Amino acid sequence: VQGLLEEPRCAAIVQSAIQLADNLGLRAIAEGVESASVREQLARYGCDEAQGFLLGRPVAAGDIATFTRPSREPEQD
């Protein structure tokens, strides 16, 4: 999505890819989202999901378990 907001041709390609995914019954996932304004534009285009530095920095493989454990405490009797 680099250049999405600055380059009309880039925006046209991104929008077309999202529309193609939708037409094929697929979910579109944008990679490389680094700003809220890009995320907002993708949402206007109908993009289903996004990933990138805006949403989370890369983590070491050993630290992944921290993100996948249940976040709530067990209920007390």
Side-chain angles (χ1 to χ4, degrees):
V1 296
Q2 188 176 16
L4 174 66
L5 301 177
E6 298 84 21
E7 299 290 330
R9 293 176 68 150
C10 180
I13 291 169
V14 171
Q15 192 172 18
S16 296
I18 293 168
Q19 186 175 19
L20 177 62
D22 186 56
N23 289 343
L24 294 172
L26 302 172
R27 297 180 59 79
I29 303 172
E31 203 280 340
V33 178
E34 297 182 5
S35 72
S37 54
V38 167
R39 181 181 62 185
E40 291 164 5
Q41 185 64 40
L42 289 166
R44 283 192 285 274
Y45 289 162
C47 188
D48 299 300
E49 304 287 340
Q51 64 182 42
F53 285 164
L54 175 69
L55 305 166
R57 298 285 183 180
V59 296
D63 295 335
I64 296 294
T66 304
F67 296 99
T68 59
R69 290 188 188 130
S71 60
R72 64 183 192 133
E73 295 292 322
E75 293 180 20
Q76 300 292 325
D77 288 328

